[in-house]
Amino acid sequence: MMKKLYIWLACLGVLCLAACDSGSKEEAPASSAKTEQAQPAPAAEASVVADAGSAPQELGPPPTKEQLDAADALVAFYNTAASALANPYYTQADVMMGNVRYYLHEWMLAPRPDGGAGKPLAARLAAPQGMFTEDESRAMAQGVEDMRQSLDSMRADYRSLERYVKDQSIRDDGVKGKALAANIEKTYERFSAARSSYMGTVEARAASVEEVLLYGHPLKRQILEARKVFGLFSRTAGLLTAQKPDREALEQVKTKLEASLADAGRPPFPASPDVERTYREFLKQAAEFKVALAKGLDEGFYNSVREELNNAAVGSRQAYNVFVREANPE
């Protein structure tokens, strides 16, 4: 029997590095031309080879068809929202912030990124009727509008900064440039807060249907722990947007990440060896993120460490997608 495999996307976990390549393609990630942002995978069905007795013991009756349909619709919307926010229109904020931080170090500014049109994406982010409460729907709509306004403001200040950098007649020891950079960073923080709040609402509602979609699934523990791991990646990305990252919060992320990786990796793994091999590769990639996070806490979150974190996050997402494809034969 085919069982629904709950997929938790992590496409927002792009870390804002201080150095960004202005010549990268529009589809490139916000952080570096050397990394490739994994595309979100759609919700899919998984065929898992397992013994009859390997399924987890569940309390209560299995979900009804109506509950499964509602859960499927919610996860589908989560995937749509996550995919929309991974579009260059929204990730241009990360690109601009990365470019500005590079400017403050090297006094060179990359061209403003072309993010494209935002209206079609905003429409995809609109809360479906009846899926969220009225208060949640209003907050989500406000979040989308706050992101739009923040992007407009960031682009306007970025244009001013571009003109300033090109004007060789100005001699003010970088005063205006620093002021514009500070404005962009302040607006970026508002953008990040709006994006996090929006996805926090969607994630919370999606999490509420985990038990429905994973009822009796033999890989329930592994899938839930993978979701936690990707959530911790995103949490790290959010913390590293601050000028002075919260060290205590990052330590807590590291502790939780270690616990989730340990729980995800413990036997048994009730599936075929090929499926287990791909999941172990995901865990290996995720462990690289843990190593880089520990390095950052010990040495500081310099460009090289942030790139290691980003590479590990992207590699983990790609490895998890391979696991999903292996567990979902055509």
Side-chain angles (χ1 to χ4, degrees):
M1 179 180 178
M2 302 289 281
K3 295 185 68 64
K4 178 68 66 177
L5 178 60
Y6 186 76
I7 298 176
W8 194 275
L9 303 181
C11 60
L12 299 181
V14 177
L15 306 179
C16 184
L17 306 183
C20 297
D21 184 356
S22 62
S24 60
K25 295 181 180 179
E26 188 172 287
E27 293 80 12
S31 53
S32 172
K34 295 180 180 179
T35 62
E36 179 182 353
Q37 184 173 349
Q39 293 302 309
E45 291 187 344
S47 176
V48 179
V49 180
D51 295 332
S54 64
Q57 296 297 315
E58 301 283 5
L59 298 176
T64 65
K65 182 180 183 302
E66 290 73 18
Q67 289 175 317
L68 285 171
D69 289 344
D72 285 344
L74 208 159
V75 171
F77 177 71
Y78 177 94
N79 288 348
T80 296
S83 178
L85 289 175
N87 186 277
Y89 173 76
Y90 289 108
T91 61
Q92 67 175 306
D94 305 299
V95 176
M96 285 188 284
M97 190 66 252
N99 290 348
V100 167
R101 286 178 176 166
Y102 181 75
Y103 162 76
L104 291 174
H105 282 84
E106 304 295 337
W107 305 113
M108 293 185 294
L109 183 67
R112 187 176 66 258
D114 181 10
K119 280 189 178 182
L121 295 168
R124 290 169 59 188
L125 293 173
Q129 185 70 30
M131 185 173 287
F132 298 86
T133 67
E134 291 185 4
D135 287 344
E136 288 172 333
S137 296
R138 279 194 296 269
M140 290 165 66
Q142 185 61 54
V144 173
E145 176 61 17
D146 289 347
M147 284 187 279
R148 184 195 66 78
Q149 292 180 3
S150 296
L151 284 170
D152 287 347
S153 178
M154 287 183 71
R155 289 183 66 84
D157 283 336
Y158 201 100
R159 282 194 295 268
S160 297
L161 184 57
E162 284 181 311
R163 289 193 294 267
Y164 170 79
V165 171
K166 291 178 182 178
D167 190 343
Q168 300 299 317
S169 66
I170 299 177
R171 296 287 186 271
D172 66 348
D173 294 326
V175 172
K176 183 176 180 181
K178 291 177 183 178
L180 287 168
N183 287 343
I184 292 171
E185 181 164 15
K186 186 176 180 180
T187 307
Y188 177 70
E189 289 176 356
R190 291 199 298 270
F191 171 88
S192 296
R195 181 170 61 182
S196 296
S197 177
Y198 176 94
M199 281 309 296
T201 299
V202 181
E203 286 172 357
R205 186 53 59 91
S208 71
V209 300
E210 284 178 335
E211 292 298 325
V212 173
L213 290 179
L214 291 177
Y215 185 94
H217 199 292
L219 294 179
K220 180 177 181 178
R221 168 171 53 86
Q222 288 83 358
I223 295 167
L224 290 179
E225 292 304 327
R227 190 270 292 173
K228 291 179 184 177
V229 166
F230 288 128
L232 292 168
F233 287 178
S234 295
R235 172 65 173 156
T236 303
L239 290 169
L240 291 181
T241 61
Q243 190 69 28
K244 293 183 179 179
D246 186 334
R247 181 180 177 83
E248 182 178 350
L250 287 167
E251 290 278 7
Q252 292 174 358
V253 168
K254 177 174 170 287
T255 299
K256 291 178 181 179
L257 182 57
E258 290 172 343
S260 284
L261 289 175
D263 201 27
R266 65 178 172 83
F269 190 94
S272 71
D274 287 341
V275 173
E276 181 173 8
R277 174 183 54 79
T278 58
Y279 190 81
R280 296 293 173 188
E281 179 60 26
F282 151 68
L283 292 179
K284 178 182 176 182
Q285 294 290 330
E288 292 297 320
F289 189 96
K290 181 190 69 173
V291 171
L293 180 57
K295 183 178 180 180
L297 287 166
D298 288 340
E299 303 175 7
F301 290 94
Y302 300 107
N303 288 3
S304 59
V305 174
R306 288 172 182 252
E307 186 161 1
E308 287 178 23
L309 286 166
N310 194 58
N311 288 341
V314 171
S316 299
R317 179 69 260 170
Q318 292 172 333
Y320 191 75
N321 285 345
V322 172
F323 157 68
V324 170
R325 289 193 293 270
E326 186 66 34
N328 291 277
E330 295 295 336

